[in-house]
């Protein structure tokens, strides 16, 4: 397969965009990426989305957006893997371009979630879990993550406040991201006082939903020589892995096997070790997921993930900067779009466009997108020179 | 990209499978295909499905089925393009194997539709149309097709009875397919007396829904030398194209532009002309779609599609045999699975396994899967020697 590069990126702000339809939101990000790439046409469109049929009564989003964006007659398809839909669509576009099947691809991750009442959205999100063996028992998606977090605290002896740095770091970084949903600096004290959603997960452990879209244009690497004077961002690894869909079926519910498998494969493809990663956009849907992701990807020993936060290793100046644009926690989590926000944010880092949250000299960035409670995990590594 | 072949196929009967869950139905087809291929593992799983989140409360079907089928840790993803989801998943698996990204792929098209009341299913199917500009006006999916059929009859002067041969042919062929939903021979008289669903579409113009799954295993062609003494079935072309999602936006609602575009590209890839196709599994969701598909793919002049039926050219002995296993009309239309049923049926023809409905000496078969009212169309050409 040939090498590929990311020629353009685009994103919308994450918020309650009640004045805009899903069409407009996805289009805004798609158009922005096409403009950033300097292209008027691409060969194919890949859309990542989880909830449009449930929330907006709209299926067939590939063609829905190829029509709206003006890619008439071109190939278009939707890819879904719950909250990992964005990265799954990115991977589909990537393989299509890398294989030579198409010469350019637009990938749009989009989610319009806030048009329904909270309980409807909670029910829709629960479709990521096992309908027969989890949801049928009355457990919600945050509830499943709470069970994992509680067990983790019990097993390894951490207190709730030990998870504070992940939330504090994400909120601090989001202050400098105009596309973030939350612009509010928080303290450890505030974290400790936050209301519980599903104990031990509080409001400040959980990422907020939102309406938003993020997009990227993928082309063969040889076509990108000094585009607009910007560093060329290449895709150096793409890997996907799965685990059981229900948490109860896992050999070890405190280990993200699919994060381990997909990151291991990605490191091999990129020919690097974890310490070679300059910036890591991880999937902090809940604080516990940040911890488990860091452990499975080789940044901490098992049971020691919280230590990275407490030692300030996850900040912009740290050993493994995470959530540099706010992460899911503060940029927001428009579920099917999140994987594409992560890709866009890593590109921004490698281009050096992140202002106060720029990681100095970032050359290699990793993005990891998680579907369900660790069931589907995709890891991508991008690089520049 | 390397050449690929279909090593194994599997399918379930299409019917109201109230005693089986979606899991069991998809698994049954997937296991059958793996067994037919003689494999216990594949590298990746691609699932085509449209309605599972709406009907069964289950998203993330890729991982849902990789878990159930026992492909633990392997890559898995769901692909959706309304009623073209099956072929879209097949194409995703195809590109992954052809590119060298994976060495084997299982593709499962699955739909569990009959667990909900009819009006719920009608509403779910309508998500294939444009939610804002079509469904909002109160039009159902069959209603949209009725508008197209009525206009076609007006424009080209055909009577309702002129469409009878498509339904009669499909029902006759399904008599010999044990997996078909309907085993009932019909006559032109019966067709003429059928109740209207949305005039001019009658019960005998419309395909029945159903629960079902169909699957195939894709591997590099060089790995298939005389497998189980069966002819080697190769994929010689795969192409996807789109049109506007809403019928009202089309330059010409009586021409399937995406069928024309995808079949033209497929003919070029396979280096054949329409007359080189020995068997054509087309997307007869409604009789009018058979007609428009035959015209767009070069088998009839515009406005002359019904002539192929009236002249008996679509039968097993005809110039362009269609729906040889019953088509959507009589095999049944479990929407996200249909594209994979078509692939499986073409493989059966090329292997010479179709008994009384075997097309003599069939070497080249085409399958065309349509999403929405012509919005997403995929054309695949398979061949053997």
């Amino acid at each position: 397969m040939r090498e590929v590069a990311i020629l353009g990126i685009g994103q919308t702000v994450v918020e309650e965009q009640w004045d805009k339809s899903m069409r407009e939101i996805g289009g805004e990000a798609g158009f922005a990426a096409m403009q950033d790439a300097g292209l008027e046409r691409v060969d194919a469109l890949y859309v990542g989305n989880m909830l449009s049929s449930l929330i907006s009564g709209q299926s067939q989003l590939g063609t829905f957006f190829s029509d709206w964006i003006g890619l008439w007659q071109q190939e278009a398809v939707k890819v879904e893997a719950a909250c990992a839909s964005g990265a799954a669509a990115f991977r589909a576009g990537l393989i299509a371009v890398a294989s030579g099947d198409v010469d350019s691809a637009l990938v749009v991750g989009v989610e319009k979630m806030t048009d329904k009442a909270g309980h409807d959205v909670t029910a829709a999100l629960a479709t990521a879990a096992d309908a027969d063996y989890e949801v049928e028992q009355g457990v919600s998606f945050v509830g499943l993550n709470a069970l994992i977090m509680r067990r983790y605290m019990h097993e390894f002896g951490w207190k709730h406040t030990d998870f504070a740095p992940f939330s504090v770091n994400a909120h601090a970084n989001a202050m400098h991201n105009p596309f973030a949903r939350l612009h509010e600096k928080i303290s450890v004290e505030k974290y400790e006082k936050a209301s519980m959603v599903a104990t031990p997960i509080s409001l400040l452990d959980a990422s907020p939903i939102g309406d938003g879209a993020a997009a990227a244009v993928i082309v063969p690497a040889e076509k990108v020589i000094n585009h607009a004077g910007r560093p060329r961002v290449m895709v150096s690894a793409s890997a996907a892995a799965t685990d059981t869909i229900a948490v109860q079926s896992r050999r070890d519910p405190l280990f993200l096997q699919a994060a381990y498998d997909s990151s291991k494969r990605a490191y091999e493809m990129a020919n690097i070790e974890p310490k070679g990663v300059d910036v890591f956009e991880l999937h902090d849907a809940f604080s516990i997921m940040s911890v488990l992701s860091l452990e499975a990807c080789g940044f901490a020993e098992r049971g020691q993930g919280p230590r990275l936060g407490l030692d300030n290793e996850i900040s912009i100046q740290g050993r493994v900067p995470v959530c540099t644009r706010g992460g899911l926690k503060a940029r927001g989590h428009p579920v099917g779009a999140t994987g594409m926000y992560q890709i866009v944010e890593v590109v921004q880092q490698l281009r050096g466009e992140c202002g106060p949250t720029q990681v100095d000299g970032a050359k290699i960035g990793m993005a990891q997108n998680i579907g369900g409670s660790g069931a589907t995990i995709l890891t991508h590594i991008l690089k520049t020179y």
Side-chain angles (χ1 to χ4, degrees), chain A:
Chain A
M1 293 207 285
R2 58 186 175 182
E3 279 198 298
V4 302
I6 298 175
L7 186 60
I9 52 173
Q11 60 187 317
T12 77
V13 64
V14 179
E15 59 187 358
E16 291 181 358
Q17 303 197 50
W18 293 356
D19 57 333
K20 289 184 183 166
S21 67
M22 177 174 63
R23 210 176 219 117
E24 293 171 283
I25 294 169
E28 189 178 322
F31 289 129
M34 298 283 285
Q35 189 166 28
D36 190 47
L39 295 182
E40 291 191 350
R41 290 283 279 182
V42 290
D43 286 350
L45 171 66
Y46 301 85
V47 176
N49 171 272
M50 176 183 173
L51 302 171
S52 75
S53 64
L54 290 166
I55 306 260
S56 308
Q58 184 68 60
S59 297
Q60 206 177 183
L61 281 205
T63 304
F64 178 82
F65 279 111
S66 67
D67 184 8
W68 178 248
I69 293 174
L71 302 172
W72 297 298
Q73 302 182 222
Q74 303 301 71
E75 172 168 14
V77 78
K78 171 186 146 173
V79 177
E80 188 268 326
C83 299
S85 299
F90 182 72
R91 180 161 159 75
L94 189 66
I95 292 175
V97 177
S99 70
D101 188 69
V102 301
D103 270 328
S104 54
L106 173 65
V107 185
V108 178
V110 58
E111 208 70 75
K112 178 83 170 121
M113 307 176 69
T114 70
D115 288 354
K116 292 264 184 185
H119 61 271
D120 287 329
V121 177
T122 298
L125 289 172
T127 65
D130 190 310
D132 295 334
Y133 300 122
E134 291 182 324
V135 183
E136 187 67 20
Q137 310 304 319
V139 70
S140 68
F141 198 66
V142 58
L144 276 172
N145 281 273
L147 292 170
I148 295 173
M149 185 171 179
R150 186 185 283 283
R151 182 73 204 175
Y152 184 91
M153 290 163 68
H154 169 81
E155 200 74 48
F156 300 110
W158 297 101
K159 300 185 300 297
H160 183 250
T161 190
D162 297 327
F163 294 83
F166 293 98
S167 190
V168 172
N169 174 65
H171 277 264
N173 290 341
M175 295 297 291
H176 308 286
N177 179 4
F179 300 102
R181 168 137 202 198
L182 303 177
H183 292 114
E184 186 193 358
K185 222 167 165 160
I186 66 157
S187 61
V188 174
E189 293 65 43
K190 184 154 183 182
Y191 175 85
E192 288 171 344
K193 286 182 192 149
S195 314
M196 283 294 161
V197 181
T199 316
I201 290 179
S202 78
L203 261 183
L204 288 178
D205 287 303
S207 53
I209 65 163
D211 305 326
V217 173
I218 305 170
V219 296
E222 81 258 15
K223 298 216 175 157
V224 192
I225 308 295
N226 202 18
H227 175 67
R230 288 190 300 233
R232 182 168 72 160
V233 177
M234 320 266 292
V235 181
S236 61
S238 171
T242 60
D243 203 333
T244 65
I245 190 149
V247 175
Q248 70 204 24
S249 310
R250 307 228 172 111
R251 195 169 49 176
D252 179 353
L254 302 183
F255 185 68
L256 291 178
Q257 182 70 44
Y260 174 82
D261 289 341
S262 64
S263 65
K264 183 165 183 282
R265 218 174 305 153
Y267 291 143
E268 286 166 8
M269 292 171 87
N271 198 24
I272 61 168
E273 293 183 6
K275 66 178 180 215
V277 174
D278 299 318
V279 55
F280 182 19
E281 291 303 332
L282 52 69
H283 191 95
D284 59 325
F286 303 99
S287 313
I288 182 66
M289 279 294 134
S290 300
V291 168
L292 297 184
S293 175
L294 285 164
E295 294 177 7
C297 296
F299 295 101
E301 292 297 311
R302 296 211 45 199
Q304 297 307 310
R307 177 60 47 210
L308 287 170
L310 296 167
D311 290 350
N312 205 28
E313 297 281 27
I314 59 170
S315 71
I316 299 298
Q317 292 78 29
R319 184 158 63 85
V320 48
V322 307
C323 306
T324 66
R325 307 295 280 158
L328 281 62
K329 178 66 200 79
R331 175 241 297 128
H333 185 25
V335 292
T338 287
M340 285 307 299
Y341 273 97
Q342 296 174 312
I343 294 288
V344 163
E345 289 161 358
V346 169
V347 171
Q348 289 183 310
Q349 283 287 355
L350 301 189
R351 283 184 181 175
E353 297 174 349
C354 294
T357 64
Q358 178 65 43
V359 173
D360 254 2
K363 299 289 182 200
I364 295 181
M366 187 158 88
Q368 186 167 78
N369 195 194
I370 302 183
S373 51
T376 310
I377 305 189
L378 291 101
T379 305
H380 285 97
I381 298 177
L382 311 185
K383 69 177 173 186
T384 187
Y385 299 103

